[in-house]
Amino acid sequence: MSAQIMDGNAIAEKIRQQLEKEIADLQGKGCFPRLEVILVGEEPSSKSYVAMKQKDCERVGILGQTTRLQEETSEETLLALIARFNDDAAVHGILVQLPLPGQISEEKVIAAISPDKDMDGFHPVNIGRMVAGADCFLPCTPAGIQELLKEYQIDPRGKHLVVVGRSNIVGKPFAIMMMQKKPWANATVTVCHTGSGDVRPYTRQADILVAAAGRPAMITADMIKPGAVVIDVGANHLDDPQAKSGYRLVGDVDFAAAKEIASAITPVPGGVGPMTRAFLLKNTVKSAKKFHKLEGLSRP
Ligand code: NAP
């Protein structure tokens, strides 16, 4: 039997429609959510991610502005811009598109953004709060995956959830969120990485398997327990002269084979990616409400 396809585009659209209404209501109360995105350099995928974020903001009514800085921008210049946005009461959210050119320390930049305006949820204060299960801005990709599970009524509670990948932006925060004693979490979590050696013995035990390794099609059908839920975070650009863009986006899962063994699966594109984008909007609205003392922050 073929797996249920978890449609991230549809769920993200539903979130945008809800936000559109919510933002119209906030505007009526004198609150105009505003997100400042900073892009340094000309990296093609970063440029395209930033363009999509800008479009999403326009769609729902967030004042989304992008500052484009040259590749050779100094760390000092970028930090000064962040400080300016931190001090600007009209700005509710700041996002610096990663990766940054080599002359700029990502660690310093992330730490320079006010935790109250940290829309990626990467600031050490937000990470610490997330680990403690306290109020915070959740990182967009893990939060988007949790929302997708919720929408499809796939409750991680009591399940063995295996994450392949331990990056600070996906694998690690998602594993932490899923082990919390909270609704739509409370799973038994295993995290695999390159130090795990052969990951098969772990992936084959997963009731919910999350692939976030950045390795095209590394998860093959024989690595999946029959009936498992498979979340493919991978967004790998493969050269494709036939494609208009010159590349093709593929996930970390061999989708065609995996969908014949899984009970539910996310496609690439159209699975986790749109949910990540939707969560950036959600975080921005939450921040705007907090600034205007209209609502508290979410808990992981
Ligand atoms: P990353 O920083 O490169 O981390 C990859 C992780 O996977 C590392 O922890 C690495 O282990 C592990 N790994 C790599 N190869 C492995 C293997 N053969 N066996 C076991 N573990 C392996 O990547 P990331 O930023 O987390 O992103 C992962 C993927 O998700 C990428 O394709 C990225 O483009 C995509 N992504 C998508 C979205 C979205 O919204 N759809 C958002 C973010 C990222 P070590 O720690 O041992 O090196």
Side-chain angles (χ1 to χ4, degrees):
M1 206 183 75
S2 207
Q4 178 178 35
I5 309 299
M6 299 168 77
D7 187 346
N9 279 326
I11 307 298
E13 177 56 20
K14 195 168 124 184
I15 293 172
R16 283 191 294 269
Q17 284 173 8
Q18 285 163 353
L19 288 174
E20 211 176 343
K21 286 193 196 125
E22 207 175 332
I23 291 165
D25 183 49
L26 289 173
Q27 287 169 343
K29 293 174 179 157
C31 168
F32 298 87
R34 180 170 147 199
L35 173 70
E36 291 290 341
V37 176
I38 305 173
L39 171 68
V40 187
E42 297 288 328
E43 214 271 309
S45 49
S46 290
K47 278 170 80 173
S48 112
Y49 290 140
V50 163
M52 287 192 285
K53 286 166 186 171
Q54 176 100 42
K55 205 172 124 208
D56 288 345
C57 285
E58 281 163 20
R59 158 72 210 282
V60 297
I62 289 175
L63 302 168
Q65 303 198 131
T66 303
T67 306
R68 291 177 175 77
L69 301 174
Q70 289 180 339
E71 181 81 29
E72 55 276 11
T73 298
S74 70
E75 186 176 275
E76 206 185 358
T77 303
L78 178 55
L79 293 176
L81 183 62
I82 292 170
R84 186 152 67 76
F85 291 149
N86 280 342
D87 292 341
D88 186 341
V91 175
H92 304 111
I94 303 169
L95 183 143
V96 178
Q97 185 66 42
L98 303 178
L100 291 167
Q103 74 277 14
I104 302 175
S105 155
E106 287 188 359
E107 204 181 328
K108 270 195 203 167
V109 166
I110 289 168
I113 298 170
S114 161
D116 293 332
K117 299 189 181 187
D118 166 35
M119 295 301 92
D120 261 336
F122 294 165
H123 191 284
V125 166
N126 279 315
I127 293 168
R129 285 178 180 158
M130 181 194 64
V131 173
D135 287 347
C136 66
F137 287 113
L138 293 171
C140 298
T141 302
I145 301 170
Q146 187 180 40
E147 188 75 14
L148 202 54
L149 292 174
K150 210 188 287 182
E151 283 288 336
Y152 279 88
Q153 294 294 301
I154 298 165
D155 193 346
R157 182 166 61 104
K159 303 271 173 27
H160 186 190
L161 188 146
V162 177
V163 186
V164 183
R166 60 173 163 194
S167 73
N168 287 339
I169 64 166
V170 187
K172 221 183 271 175
F174 188 64
I176 291 164
M177 280 170 63
M178 287 296 105
M179 61 165 272
Q180 300 286 355
K181 196 170 181 176
K182 286 177 181 288
W184 301 101
N186 219 358
T188 302
V189 178
T190 298
V191 182
C192 301
H193 40 77
T194 58
S196 307
D198 184 5
V199 299
R200 277 160 217 264
Y202 307 104
T203 62
R204 281 183 185 145
Q205 289 180 41
D207 301 310
I208 301 176
L209 176 61
V210 180
R215 299 276 177 268
M218 78 164 270
I219 303 293
T220 47
D222 60 311
M223 297 168 80
I224 300 168
K225 181 164 112 176
V229 172
V230 178
I231 306 292
D232 191 352
V233 186
N236 309 293
H237 294 84
L238 295 188
D239 289 340
D240 182 357
Q242 312 292 337
K244 210 171 114 191
S245 56
Y247 68 83
R248 190 160 45 95
L249 194 64
V250 297
D252 285 357
V253 176
D254 175 0
F255 180 80
K259 76 174 175 18
E260 300 307 321
I261 189 159
S263 59
I265 188 167
T266 59
V268 177
V272 174
M275 295 302 294
T276 301
R277 285 165 55 189
F279 239 85
L280 172 64
L281 305 175
K282 262 175 104 85
N283 275 351
T284 307
V285 171
K286 282 210 169 291
S287 177
K289 283 178 170 174
K290 185 177 170 251
F291 270 77
H292 288 257
K293 301 204 174 4
L294 294 167
E295 200 185 80
L297 287 176
S298 65
R299 287 172 182 273

